[in-house]
Amino acid sequence: MTIKKAPVTTEPLGFPGTARQLAAGAASANTALTPGVFRISIRASTADIRFEVGSGSQTASATTSHFIATNERLDFRVPSNANIAVIRDGSDNGTLELTELL
């Protein structure tokens, strides 16, 4: 007897939309995402970075915000009218590559 498994539902990430390069330096820098974007993909390309995502203007902390390591990629859902703030984690400035997913 063959047992059929229920189909697995997978939520698609979406299609690439606006691409951004966010500079992560010694001070927190906030960027508003495009209205209507609910998913993003981020990659720390040149240094370890800290970030905050939320509705309205955000401020990232070099010690307590979310961490993304150099060359790490994270894909996740963001709230409506999201902003992202970035700051470097150590002494090296970095770049956060961000793709808005539609």
Side-chain angles (χ1 to χ4, degrees):
M1 171 157 71
T2 302
I3 299 174
K4 290 188 175 185
K5 295 182 180 180
V8 176
T9 303
T10 303
E11 184 176 338
L13 285 175
F15 299 101
T18 300
R20 301 175 186 271
Q21 290 184 324
L22 308 178
S28 178
N30 181 75
T31 300
L33 302 181
T34 303
V37 167
F38 293 100
R39 292 178 182 85
I40 60 172
S41 179
I42 60 175
R43 180 177 174 267
S45 65
T46 57
D48 294 345
I49 294 174
R50 298 279 182 162
F51 68 96
E52 288 291 334
V53 177
S55 295
S57 186
Q58 301 293 301
T59 302
S61 164
T63 56
T64 60
S65 291
H66 305 289
F67 177 82
I68 184 169
T70 305
N71 294 321
E72 181 179 9
R73 177 175 297 279
L74 299 173
D75 301 322
F76 51 91
R77 185 170 171 80
V78 295
S80 178
N81 299 314
N83 281 235
I84 184 168
V86 296
I87 193 168
R88 67 186 188 199
D89 181 61
S91 58
D92 295 332
N93 291 341
T95 301
L96 187 76
E97 302 285 348
L98 184 147
T99 299
E100 296 178 350
L101 300 169
L102 308 174

